[in-house]
């Protein structure tokens, strides 16, 4: 029997990494928000790798923070180790990665949700949506509670019809043996959504007391204090190391001998797995010429002996997993605490979404996270923030936000999903971003803080600090452009010590900084600024001056893209009326319903000739409209 349980602006279903960001974002833009999750003890749980960040992903965490989200702040408070990756490479591929204390991470995030004004967090299982005339107006839970809302966000992760697979064993379950969501998945099919079956997996966890670390290589965190959030001022200094070891020929032989027992090769697993995060059995089969694979031993927290065996994701039977582990140096006498497993789940085909993450089929219904076909906490959190922000803005009658590919990695992620779709769990890579020189770890605040402030997610105090930083960067760049350094003994000596060629004439400080062997500290040594500048200001000055030419070229490309983005395609366009379009292009355009010519050009199966025809058609429509006026 059902009962009326309450009215809200926004309802968020799920409290994983997408759910928490969605709930906080909608509440922070001013919408009265309800979050419903199957188990309150699993808020922001990390069922897989207890880490945040890495290539591309770490930049997403910075972008989430720049917009006023929570993931960066939470990992800064709860990590056990932090490292900057790719420090020997250019700024476009540098990325921060933190090892999390998975339990503290959960507890801190739950505390944040509970203390957020405008946000109510409850335990419950949503089984149906209230949909009238293709408009979502609320949800109904397993207990019959009816909650009404102006907008709803689904962030169910891998819970939709989840099934755990371990060797010959297969049973209905969410991650980590949690209750799965079955009826909501069936209901989405009733509403006409196309669903696909995806698969992901985890490695075993082992007892730290039974590892011989002397046979492994230590992987410490950075000595320099690091943070994801621009607001972090307190840094964790007592870091825990991770450890590196390797598989070997004996490991690979055991896997080969037991492939017939692997659900991946026996046909038990039907879902498509993530290509960029393969299981150990998949790695051994696909890369059989490799004598070994890296295995990282990563502590799951400060107050547990469980260690995550990164690189050994598997769904092989439990006895085989134990046998495999004991072939690895350092793990000869290891005790397995939890076996690895695979999990299959339902996801919706993401081309059924607008770039706002609202569904095309049902108005005022949004989806975010693994339900949209992605893998990874960071991809989920980025989508959650955008879906929650837009659901909140929509509910309040305000204009929604769409990030372009040149604005953020989150813009690349969402555009790839809604325009191209995905045939496997999608993972962000730096190679997916054509403007990666603009979308750097170091400049996420310069790209997105203004937007975060406009929608109400960035405080006035933080915004003023941001403006001061921006001004300091511009003033110092201007000073270096005007400052002439003469070829005196001090200047020549410094240049010579750095292996550079001596000056013949005076040189602008900015031009000297562009030399590969020079950095900002050298310039400051020769001609210090009038006041002491923060390191994040000097870092920006150095990058913007050094890479000025490359950045300018990227900005010119962005400008060309903007011209195509400005050519809007009416939603009521009938592609059947456009002569000359290839049949595949017509079908894809009708399915995706792109909002602009630029988005249309990125659809797989739509070629440049089709875009030219579409452009002529749009221009003729405008000419006709002007003539009629």
């Amino acid at each position: 029997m059902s009962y009326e349980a309450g009215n809200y602006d926004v309802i968020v279903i799920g409290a994983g990494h997408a759910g928490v960001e969605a709930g906080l974002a909608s509440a922070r833009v001013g919408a009265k928000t309800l979050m419903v999750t199957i188990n309150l003890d699993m808020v922001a749980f990390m069922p897989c790798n207890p880490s945040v960040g890495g290539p591309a992903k770490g930049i997403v965490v910075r972008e989430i923070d720049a917009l006023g989200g929570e993931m960066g702040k939470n990992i800064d408070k709860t990590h056990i180790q932090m490292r900057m990756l790719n420090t020997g490479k250019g700024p476009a591929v540098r990325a921060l990665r933190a090892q999390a204390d998975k339990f503290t991470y959960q507890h801190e995030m739950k505390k944040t949700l509970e203390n957020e004004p405008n946000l109510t967090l409850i335990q419950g299982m949503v089984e149906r949506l209230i949909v009238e005339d293709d408009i979502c107006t609320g949800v109904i839970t397993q207990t019959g509670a009816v909650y009404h809302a102006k907008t709803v966000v689904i962030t169910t992760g891998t819970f939709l019809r989840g099934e755990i697979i371990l060797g010959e064993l297969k049973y209905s379950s969410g991650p980590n043996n949690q209750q799965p969501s079955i009826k909501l998945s069936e209901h989405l099919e009733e509403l006409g959504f196309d669903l696909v079956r995806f698969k992901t997996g985890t490695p075993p966890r082992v007892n730290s007391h039974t590892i011989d670390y002397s046979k492994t290589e230590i992987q410490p965190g950075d000595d320099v204090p690091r943070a994801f959030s621009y607001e972090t001022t307190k840094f964790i200094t007592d870091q825990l190391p991770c450890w590196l070891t390797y598989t070997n020929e004996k490991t690979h032989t055991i896997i080969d001998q037991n492939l017939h027992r692997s659900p991946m090769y026996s046909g038990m697993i039907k879902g498509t797995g993530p290509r960029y995060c393969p299981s150990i059995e998949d790695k051994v089969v696909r890369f059989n010429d490799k004598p070994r694979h890296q295995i990282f031993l990563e502590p799951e927290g400060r107050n547990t002996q469980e260690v995550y065996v990164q690189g050994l994701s598997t769904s092989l039977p439990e006895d085989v997993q134990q046998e495999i582990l004991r072939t690895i140096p350092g793990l000869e006498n290891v005790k397995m605490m939890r076996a690895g497993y695979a999990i299959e789940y339902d996801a919706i085909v993401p081309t059924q979404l607008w770039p706002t993450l609202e569904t095309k089929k049902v108005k005022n219904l949004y989806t975010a996270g693994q339900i949209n076909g992605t893998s990874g906490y960071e991809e989920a959190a980025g989508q959650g923030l955008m879906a929650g922000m837009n659901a909140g803005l929509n509910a309040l009658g305000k204009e929604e936000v769409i990030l372009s590919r040149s604005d953020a990695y989150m813009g690349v992620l969402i555009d790839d999903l809604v325009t191209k779709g995905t045939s496997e769990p999608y993972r962000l890579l730096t190679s997916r971003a054509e403007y990666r020189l603009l979308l750097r770890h170091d400049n996420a605040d310069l790209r997105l803080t203004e937007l975060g402030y406009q929608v109400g997610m960035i405080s006035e105090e933080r915004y003023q600090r941001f403006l001061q930083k921006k001004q300091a960067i511009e003033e110092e760049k201007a000073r270096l452009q005007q400052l002439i350094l003469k070829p005196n003994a001090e200047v020549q000596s410094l240049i010579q010590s750095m292996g550079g060629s001596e000056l013949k004439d005076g040189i602008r400080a900015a031009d000297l900084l562009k030399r590969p062997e020079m950095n900002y500290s050298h310039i400051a040594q020769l001609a210090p600024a009038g006041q002491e500048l923060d390191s994040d200001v000097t870092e920006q000055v150095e990058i913007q001056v050094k890479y000025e030419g490359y950045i300018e070229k990227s900005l010119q490309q962005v400008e060309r893209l903007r011209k195509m983005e400005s050519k809007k395609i009416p939603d009521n366009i009938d592609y059947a009326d456009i002569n000359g379009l290839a049949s595949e292009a017509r079908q894809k355009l009708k399915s995706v319903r792109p909002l602009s010519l630029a988005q249309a050009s990125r659809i797989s199966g739509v070629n440049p000739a089709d875009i030219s025809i579409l452009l002529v058609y749009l221009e003729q429509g405008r000419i006709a409209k002007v003539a009629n006026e």
Side-chain angles (χ1 to χ4, degrees):
M1 190 168 171
S2 62
Y3 71 97
E4 293 293 324
N7 291 283
Y8 294 86
D9 292 320
V10 179
I11 296 172
V12 177
I13 304 169
H17 302 280
V20 295
E21 294 293 350
L24 290 168
S26 66
R28 287 170 179 174
V29 300
K32 183 184 175 188
T33 305
L34 173 70
M35 285 187 68
V36 190
T37 183
I38 292 173
N39 186 348
L40 282 175
D41 296 328
M42 302 294 287
V43 168
F45 180 67
M46 293 180 164
C48 203
N49 195 338
S51 71
V52 167
K57 292 166 176 274
I59 300 173
V60 170
V61 181
R62 294 278 275 185
E63 291 173 352
I64 289 167
D65 183 73
L67 284 168
E70 199 62 30
M71 182 176 256
K73 292 187 186 74
N74 208 59
I75 191 65
D76 285 352
K77 287 187 283 186
T78 60
H79 67 270
I80 58 177
Q81 185 195 105
M82 200 172 280
R83 298 176 76 181
M84 182 67 81
L85 308 180
N86 300 328
T87 51
K89 298 181 180 178
V93 292
R94 287 175 204 156
L96 201 54
R97 184 183 186 273
Q99 201 63 33
D101 185 317
K102 66 187 287 183
F103 307 105
T104 313
Y105 187 93
Q106 278 182 267
H107 297 149
E108 279 297 318
M109 191 65 90
K110 184 165 181 269
K111 190 193 298 182
T112 300
L113 293 172
E114 290 169 342
N115 292 330
E116 183 68 34
N118 277 341
L119 183 62
T120 302
L121 177 64
I122 65 164
Q123 183 166 294
M125 167 91 76
V126 172
E127 292 192 334
R128 292 186 71 80
L129 306 171
I130 303 169
V131 178
E132 300 162 359
D133 299 325
D134 294 331
I135 300 171
C136 188
T137 60
V139 305
I140 304 171
T141 70
Q142 190 179 45
T143 58
V146 177
Y147 295 96
H148 298 279
K150 294 169 185 172
T151 57
V152 173
V153 187
I154 304 177
T155 66
T156 44
T158 59
F159 280 80
L160 285 184
R161 268 199 295 234
E163 287 183 308
I164 281 182
I165 303 156
L166 173 53
E168 293 87 10
L169 178 65
K170 185 174 188 177
Y171 57 95
S172 180
S173 175
N176 205 45
N177 287 323
Q178 291 298 300
Q179 194 178 356
S181 175
I182 295 168
K183 289 193 175 178
L184 181 58
S185 193
E186 293 169 350
H187 180 54
L188 289 172
E189 282 184 321
E190 284 172 29
L191 291 170
F193 285 100
D194 293 329
L195 303 183
V196 288
R197 198 80 175 146
F198 279 167
K199 165 252 168 189
T200 188
T202 73
R205 274 70 159 181
V206 298
N207 190 316
S208 180
H209 288 317
T210 62
I211 297 172
D212 182 354
Y213 288 108
S214 68
K215 295 182 179 178
T216 67
E217 301 168 32
I218 192 167
Q219 304 285 301
D222 288 349
D223 294 332
V224 181
R226 306 277 192 196
F228 278 100
S229 175
Y230 290 93
E231 293 198 282
T232 295
T233 53
K234 292 181 182 176
F235 299 92
I236 292 171
T237 54
D238 58 330
Q239 301 187 79
L240 300 183
C242 296
W243 307 83
L244 173 64
T245 183
Y246 297 89
T247 63
N248 51 54
E249 192 178 332
K250 197 173 176 185
T251 318
H252 300 177
T253 300
I254 292 170
I255 291 167
D256 282 330
Q257 289 171 348
N258 286 278
L259 281 178
H260 65 286
R261 299 183 68 193
S262 165
M264 283 194 63
Y265 293 92
S266 68
M268 186 181 284
I269 288 178
K270 308 291 185 192
T272 307
R275 191 179 357 152
Y276 301 102
C277 188
S279 65
I280 187 63
E281 50 266 45
D282 205 19
K283 281 192 270 192
V284 168
V285 170
R286 283 166 53 191
F287 310 109
N288 56 16
D289 57 323
K290 276 199 163 189
R292 64 180 192 172
H293 295 284
Q294 286 186 329
I295 300 293
F296 289 94
L297 305 175
E298 302 173 339
E300 294 225 314
R302 295 180 188 278
N303 300 307
T304 178
Q305 291 306 312
E306 282 192 78
V307 173
Y308 183 92
V309 188
Q310 163 77 345
L312 206 72
S313 179
T314 183
S315 55
L316 281 161
E318 203 170 280
D319 59 306
V320 180
Q321 292 189 36
Q322 187 72 66
E323 202 180 344
I324 289 168
L325 284 166
R326 291 188 170 169
T327 65
I328 297 170
L331 306 183
E332 292 89 350
N333 299 303
V334 80
K335 288 190 177 172
M336 185 167 70
M337 297 178 72
R338 303 185 202 219
Y341 62 86
I343 183 167
E344 285 190 335
Y345 56 94
D346 286 345
I348 74 162
V349 175
T351 51
Q352 298 170 103
L353 306 173
W354 297 114
T356 58
L357 296 180
E358 182 183 18
T359 69
K360 294 170 182 173
K361 221 169 260 299
V362 178
K363 195 170 170 52
N364 297 342
L365 176 66
Y366 298 74
T367 59
Q370 281 183 276
I371 188 177
N372 288 347
T374 57
S375 69
Y377 309 140
E378 303 84 358
E379 288 92 336
Q383 290 174 74
L385 181 136
M386 295 308 298
M389 179 197 293
N390 283 330
L393 293 170
N394 181 356
L396 297 172
K398 296 180 179 178
E399 188 179 349
E400 294 176 72
V401 172
I402 296 173
L403 294 175
S404 78
R405 297 180 72 89
S406 58
D407 289 329
Y409 267 96
M410 291 195 292
V412 173
L413 163 66
I414 293 170
D415 182 66
D416 277 353
L417 289 173
V418 305
T419 304
K420 300 174 184 175
T422 184
S423 57
E424 63 184 352
Y426 176 102
R427 179 181 181 176
L428 258 180
L429 306 165
T430 51
S431 58
R432 295 193 193 272
E434 59 270 51
Y435 306 114
R436 54 188 170 275
L437 187 55
L438 302 178
L439 309 181
R440 304 185 308 274
H441 163 92
D442 60 85
N443 71 349
D445 61 335
L446 297 174
R447 291 185 277 120
L448 297 170
T449 302
E450 185 75 44
L451 174 59
Y453 177 70
Q454 285 170 7
V455 298
M457 289 178 60
I458 295 291
S459 69
E460 185 65 39
E461 182 190 357
R462 178 173 175 178
Y463 183 60
Q464 290 304 321
R465 284 201 308 273
F466 162 72
L467 291 180
Q468 287 166 12
K469 172 184 172 179
K470 205 171 166 185
Q471 184 180 350
I473 293 165
E474 293 307 316
E475 286 177 353
E476 182 61 1
K477 278 167 59 184
R479 184 180 81 89
L480 297 186
Q481 282 291 347
Q482 293 162 8
L483 178 67
I484 303 294
L485 294 171
K486 295 179 180 175
N488 57 35
E490 184 190 6
V491 171
Q492 302 287 38
S493 173
L494 177 62
I495 292 172
Q496 197 171 26
S497 70
M498 298 309 299
S501 54
E502 289 189 355
L503 298 179
K504 294 186 173 61
D505 299 298
I507 188 173
R508 290 181 192 275
D511 291 335
L512 183 60
L513 180 53
K514 286 179 182 177
R515 288 190 175 190
E517 71 274 9
M518 305 300 286
N519 60 40
Y520 179 85
S521 65
H522 298 136
I523 306 299
Q525 190 179 322
L526 297 171
Q531 58 183 39
E532 190 175 344
L533 298 173
D534 291 339
S535 59
D536 55 346
V537 170
T538 59
E539 178 187 44
Q540 275 309 303
V541 170
E542 180 171 328
I543 290 171
Q544 289 184 28
V545 170
K546 255 189 190 307
Y547 297 93
E548 182 184 23
Y550 298 105
I551 290 170
E552 188 55 43
K553 281 181 184 173
S554 291
L555 289 171
Q556 287 168 7
Q557 287 180 308
V558 170
E559 197 49 47
R560 286 196 291 273
L561 175 76
R562 287 219 171 103
K563 286 177 183 172
M564 284 188 75
E565 292 285 7
S566 68
K567 296 187 188 301
K568 301 297 179 189
I569 299 175
D571 188 35
N572 61 354
I573 193 170
D574 187 349
Y575 292 103
D577 288 345
I578 306 176
N579 295 325
L581 280 179
S583 56
E584 184 187 4
R586 189 175 278 117
Q587 180 189 340
K588 291 287 182 71
L589 288 163
K590 187 178 176 183
S591 170
V592 175
R593 293 156 68 189
L595 299 178
S596 69
L597 203 63
Q599 189 186 356
S601 70
R602 294 191 292 269
I603 299 172
S604 175
V606 178
N607 61 42
D610 298 312
I611 294 299
S612 298
I613 291 165
L614 188 54
L615 176 59
V616 169
Y617 181 84
L618 292 172
E619 291 298 335
Q620 285 174 344
R622 286 196 184 90
I623 292 163
K625 189 178 176 186
V626 171
N628 289 334
E629 287 172 355

